[in-house]
Amino acid sequence: MLELQQLVRRFGHRVAVDGATLAIPAGQMVGVIGRSGAGKSTLLRMINRLIAPTSGRVLFEGRDVTALRGRDLRGWRASAAMVFQQFNLTPRLDVLTNVLCGRLNTVPAWRALPKIFTPRERTLAVRALDRLGMADFAFSRADALSGGQQQRVAIARAMMQEPRLILADEPIASLDPMNAKLVMDALRDINARDGLTVLCNLHTLDIAREYCHRIVAMANGRVVFDGPPAALTASAVREIYGNNTNGEQHVSQTRIRRAHSGAGAGAYGLGASTVL
Amino acid sequence: MSASLDLFETRYAALRRKRRTTTLLGAAIFVLLVLCAIFDTEFYPSKLLAGIPKIGEYFDKLFSVAPARGQPRVAVLAWDHLFGGIDEAQSVAYWFYRFGTYASLLWQTIQMAFVSTIMGATIGFALSFPAARNLGTPKLVRLATRRALEVARSVPQVVLAFILIWPFSIGPLAGILAIGIHTAGALGKLFSEINENADMRPADGIAAVGGGWLAVVRYGFVPQVLPNFVSYALLRFEINVRSSTIMGFVGAGGIGQEFRRVISFNIYEEVSAIAILIVVIVSVLDLTSERVRARFMAARTA
């Protein structure tokens, strides 16, 4: 169980996240939606403490992770794996080393500095890559790969952390629809097969509807909707995106073609293009 | 409408007057500073004009030399004696009759530059990370590192060598330490600026997997910045070769000591012989390292 209690983050006078409170049971796949600047990224980054909350608490299985420092904090980060919009791999290193970086929390400095990894770690890395269909690229440099391939490597790195939850910050925002589908399928597979909690920031409604058990919507730093995709009615969507054409842009960007039409956005009576 | 336009014009004129005053004041201060500097250093046109014709005299002495006091001057660069034996005055062999000494001293000079560059680059590398603003180093550590680097690069190398000769005695060690310390200061500063311009996304990625400060440096920064570091270190090596030719002037090893000796004895042939050798060696090293650097730059952008 991951609990956010009254999380607030201010940047100067601007309030990025304004009192977010959520309780997420283990194994749920949650989509966080909202306009750019709604506070989705800040919320996710506060969970693994890349950004420190101004006030409020994050509890994981009853433990207050907002109070952690030093080694304990790094240990928490290792168990709350982050997947970034821009992948955040090290470009000049090969794919295998990038994936092995997922172990850096447990590798002692005397091995980390000269890049000495054990055969077991390498086996884990190759398995993680293989699961994402990227084993053939193990020796390529990370910057030689396409965006979609880099994101799959980044997910393999996240799996190397043997995490308890995955925080994906706009994982498909810089990808084409084909790669977006591959990446979202991989996240769903991790959620379903490994039982990991997945928190995924998305800016497209239909993807959130298709992949997530639960949708949390943010506007102006506040949680304005929290419920199953079916409960996300047209009026709720209007509140999230604002009643103007801007909203339509958000909703219709980067759409994945449905594999099965039954669960299409139309089934809820609000296809992406008919929302506004 | 026209009233508000008038008001606009008045305000605009006032603004322009204010700006013009500022500019004129700035220009006046600048000119004053230039004049002060000229008078202080006696950089007078009259002195300059008086000295210019004498520039040729030195080269005259190079190109035509009296073999002994009172004898007629002999041209230096002339085919009939240029490739004569060691006994023939003004032949290449005669000029460079101490070539063996020069060569070993030049070799020592290059070795000094090499060792001091390695030393400086290593220290600069280590200090560039705590000195960079974007690595979350405690402020006290960062400021202390930056001040230390500043001190290291602000003391002139010759002065440093002169001080270091006391504990380490005359010889290359003092010279190496002097150049090495200066190099550490200069490269440490440059390296830390490279770090500050690095892409933070890989570093965020490593921080997010739970890696500590060292892991962030090793996997988030070093792979990105290393080609630039190497490029700057090579550039520094070129500079250090030139610096180490001077070190001998204060007794800190290398070709400089021989250079100082022949200058103080007015042995013009040998002064020129050594000067030519230094120019040749420095140019060859510059060209070589330029090529190596170009390859690193290419590797970086690829």
Side-chain angles (χ1 to χ4, degrees):
Chain A
M1 176 80 108
L2 175 73
E3 288 170 88
L4 314 185
Q5 298 178 343
Q6 287 300 318
L7 266 187
V8 175
R9 173 67 204 203
R10 288 194 188 86
F11 294 106
H13 291 295
R14 206 171 62 80
V15 184
V17 173
D18 189 5
T21 299
L22 285 174
I24 296 162
Q28 207 166 44
M29 184 146 176
V30 181
V32 183
I33 60 167
R35 310 169 62 140
S36 317
K40 310 187 296 277
S41 243
T42 310
L43 183 77
L44 235 65
R45 281 163 185 258
M46 277 195 289
I47 294 174
N48 90 334
R49 298 270 312 276
L50 278 184
I51 294 177
T54 308
S55 66
R57 294 198 304 169
V58 178
L59 300 173
F60 186 71
E61 291 172 355
R63 189 168 72 136
D64 185 359
V65 297
T66 29
L68 299 178
R69 299 179 66 83
R71 179 176 290 277
D72 292 336
L73 171 61
R74 294 198 297 274
W76 162 243
R77 282 181 179 157
S79 51
M82 192 99 185
V83 174
F84 298 85
Q85 177 180 352
Q86 295 292 329
F87 332 124
N88 292 23
L89 302 173
T90 304
R92 298 179 54 86
L93 291 179
D94 59 48
V95 164
L96 184 68
T97 312
N98 264 297
V99 175
L100 286 164
C101 279
R103 291 309 270 192
L104 283 176
N105 184 246
T106 50
V107 174
W110 70 266
R111 281 208 287 124
L113 290 181
K115 285 199 226 172
I116 299 171
F117 292 97
T118 60
R120 185 179 160 267
E121 283 162 346
R122 273 194 295 276
T123 311
L124 275 172
V126 174
R127 281 211 189 118
L129 278 171
D130 191 40
R131 182 168 171 187
L132 287 139
M134 290 298 296
D136 288 346
F137 296 93
F139 303 129
S140 312
R141 257 170 60 155
D143 47 2
L145 304 182
S146 72
Q149 291 170 328
Q150 288 194 43
Q151 194 60 295
R152 278 142 74 195
V153 173
I155 293 173
R157 176 172 76 181
M159 292 310 287
M160 276 297 275
Q161 297 172 226
E162 295 181 326
R164 305 288 305 278
L165 64 152
I166 292 208
L167 307 166
D169 186 10
E170 301 273 5
I172 55 168
S174 2
L175 305 181
D176 59 77
M178 172 66 199
N179 276 303
K181 181 169 162 49
L182 276 173
V183 165
M184 286 311 294
D185 285 349
L187 288 176
R188 173 153 65 190
D189 183 62
I190 288 165
N191 170 255
R193 274 210 285 161
D194 304 32
L196 296 183
T197 309
V198 176
L199 239 82
C200 189
N201 282 350
L202 293 164
H203 63 237
T204 46
L205 248 182
D206 48 355
I207 289 176
R209 283 183 187 287
E210 180 178 351
Y211 285 95
C212 302
H213 307 131
R214 171 178 173 189
I215 291 179
V216 170
M218 293 185 72
N220 301 318
R222 296 178 161 278
V223 174
V224 293
F225 174 88
D226 180 5
L232 198 59
T233 58
S235 62
V237 169
R238 223 169 280 128
E239 193 192 343
I240 298 161
Y241 289 107
N243 196 4
N244 56 33
T245 46
N246 238 351
E248 187 172 6
Q249 245 179 15
H250 278 281
V251 175
S252 54
Q253 265 172 14
T254 331
R255 221 183 318 165
I256 292 180
R257 187 163 276 288
R258 303 287 161 131
H260 42 288
S261 55
Y268 305 111
L270 19 84
S273 47
T274 59
V275 167
L276 299 158
Chain B
M1 186 64 205
S2 84
S4 63
L5 267 180
D6 283 347
L7 185 64
F8 171 80
E9 279 298 325
T10 327
R11 281 194 183 159
Y12 181 61
L15 181 68
R16 280 194 59 166
R17 265 199 306 281
K18 199 175 151 197
R19 277 190 192 152
R20 196 158 41 211
T21 320
T22 319
T23 312
L24 283 177
L25 198 68
I29 292 172
F30 180 73
V31 169
L32 198 70
L33 287 174
V34 170
L35 287 177
C36 275
I38 286 176
F39 285 116
D40 261 13
T41 56
E42 300 183 5
F43 186 76
Y44 302 139
S46 57
K47 276 194 156 184
L48 200 62
L49 288 173
I52 283 173
K54 288 192 228 165
I55 292 176
E57 272 177 36
Y58 176 81
F59 294 99
D60 264 1
K61 291 199 176 183
L62 286 181
F63 289 110
S64 66
V65 177
R69 203 174 284 276
Q71 284 189 6
R73 300 181 79 82
V74 179
V76 173
L77 289 173
W79 286 117
D80 57 335
H81 59 241
L82 195 59
F83 296 105
I86 198 154
D87 299 323
E88 180 136 26
Q90 312 314 334
S91 68
V92 170
Y94 174 88
W95 263 35
F96 286 96
Y97 80 105
R98 279 163 50 76
F99 184 76
T101 315
Y102 303 158
S104 75
L105 283 172
L106 266 174
W107 183 238
Q108 190 183 56
T109 304
I110 295 169
Q111 305 283 48
M112 280 169 64
F114 185 64
V115 176
S116 59
T117 309
I118 299 276
M119 171 188 152
T122 310
I123 298 172
F125 176 89
L127 296 185
S128 73
F129 297 103
R133 287 193 195 87
N134 53 345
L135 267 143
T137 324
K139 199 174 176 191
L140 204 66
V141 176
R142 192 179 78 224
L143 291 181
T145 318
R146 292 177 88 92
R147 291 300 92 77
L149 291 174
E150 266 161 32
V151 171
R153 70 176 176 275
S154 57
V155 182
Q157 292 170 54
V158 178
V159 175
L160 212 51
F162 199 70
I163 296 168
L164 288 169
I165 280 173
W166 182 254
F168 298 105
S169 85
I170 284 180
L173 180 59
I176 288 171
L177 288 175
I179 301 174
I181 289 169
H182 183 88
T183 304
L187 283 183
K189 164 85 173 162
L190 280 171
F191 288 178
S192 75
E193 277 174 7
I194 295 172
N195 288 335
E196 284 170 4
N197 288 326
D199 183 358
M200 285 304 288
R201 287 174 301 186
D204 276 352
I206 302 299
V209 305
W213 190 86
L214 276 176
V216 171
V217 166
R218 176 68 186 88
Y219 291 89
F221 277 89
V222 172
Q224 276 191 73
V225 296
L226 202 60
N228 271 326
F229 280 18
V230 172
S231 168
Y232 275 112
L234 276 167
L235 195 66
R236 196 67 220 182
F237 174 63
E238 295 169 28
I239 297 169
N240 285 350
V241 171
R242 287 189 284 266
S243 303
S244 32
T245 59
I246 305 297
M247 282 299 137
F249 277 71
V250 293
I255 190 76
Q257 64 192 54
E258 186 67 12
F259 210 21
R260 187 169 92 146
R261 188 183 68 81
V262 296
I263 287 175
S264 55
F265 283 97
N266 285 330
I267 313 173
Y268 281 98
E269 300 94 328
E270 294 203 34
V271 172
S272 339
I274 294 174
I276 288 170
L277 276 178
I278 290 176
V279 169
V280 168
I281 292 286
V282 169
S283 315
V284 167
L285 285 174
D286 275 15
L287 283 173
T288 318
S289 87
E290 198 175 298
R291 293 213 158 181
V292 178
R293 270 193 308 125
R295 294 186 72 159
F296 267 99
M297 298 302 245
R300 192 188 53 177
T301 50

